[in-house]
């Protein structure tokens, strides 16, 4: 299946920047990569929503785990291979998605707390 160059642009930018060929020189685990991205970039709610939507579209466009893992590298420029850690690529991407959802919820919770504090 042919994908347009912009279909996964935000996801490709994230994967290429954080899961590049030498990602293990920056962090020991993929979870540490995620933590660093969230701390350094402090993505907005809109950016996180775009990443979540693109993960959903990416996993929908690739029917099986082997195809997903190959496309991680060839379409997204991601050099992490979940199978090397005995994980399925779909399961790993769903975990990445969950971290983005959690980060988005923290933005909403923080904003709600800040708004409540201003009312007093």
């Amino acid at each position: 299946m042919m994908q347009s160059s912009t279909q996964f642009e935000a996801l490709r930018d994230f994967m290429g920047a954080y899961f590049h060929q030498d990602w293990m020189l920056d962090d020991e685990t993929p979870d540490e990569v995620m933590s660093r991205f969230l701390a350094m970039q402090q993505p907005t709610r809109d950016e996180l929503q775009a990443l979540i939507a693109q993960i959903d579209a990416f996993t929908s466009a690739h029917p099986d785990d082997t195809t997903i893992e190959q496309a991680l590298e060839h379409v997204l420029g991601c050099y992490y291979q979940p199978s090397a850690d005995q994980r399925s690529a779909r399961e790993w991407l769903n975990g990445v998605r969950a971290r983005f959802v959690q980060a988005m919820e923290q933005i909403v919770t923080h904003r709600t707390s800040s708004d409540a504090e201003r009312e007093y």
Side-chain angles (χ1 to χ4, degrees):
M1 172 183 293
M2 188 72 167
Q3 285 113 13
S4 71
S5 61
T6 58
Q7 184 178 6
F8 305 118
E9 185 173 10
L11 189 56
R12 189 179 60 246
D13 289 349
F14 162 69
M15 292 290 182
Y18 285 87
F19 288 97
H20 53 78
Q21 198 167 7
D22 296 322
W23 71 268
M24 289 185 289
L25 297 176
D26 296 325
D27 299 287
E28 290 185 24
T29 68
D31 289 337
E32 289 177 9
V33 173
M34 291 296 301
S35 295
R36 184 167 53 89
F37 166 73
L38 293 169
M40 287 179 62
Q41 295 301 316
Q42 298 183 355
T44 66
R45 182 177 170 80
D46 288 344
E47 290 167 335
L48 290 165
Q49 283 177 324
L51 287 163
I52 290 165
Q54 289 180 23
I55 288 172
D56 292 344
F58 184 80
T59 55
S60 293
H62 300 89
D64 60 70
D65 215 60
T66 302
T67 307
I68 291 173
E69 188 153 325
Q70 290 171 351
L72 279 171
E73 182 178 350
H74 299 294
V75 176
L76 300 180
C78 174
Y79 283 86
Y80 171 62
Q81 295 180 332
S83 62
D85 290 331
Q86 289 75 49
R87 298 171 80 177
S88 83
R90 185 177 304 275
E91 172 188 300
W92 177 68
L93 276 174
N94 284 337
V96 171
R97 184 189 190 284
R99 289 285 302 269
F100 291 153
V101 168
Q102 181 183 35
M104 199 166 64
E105 288 170 352
Q106 289 174 347
I107 291 171
V108 172
T109 302
H110 177 70
R111 207 172 275 151
T112 303
S113 299
S114 297
D115 292 345
E117 289 171 10
R118 277 188 239 132
E119 291 176 9
Y120 292 106

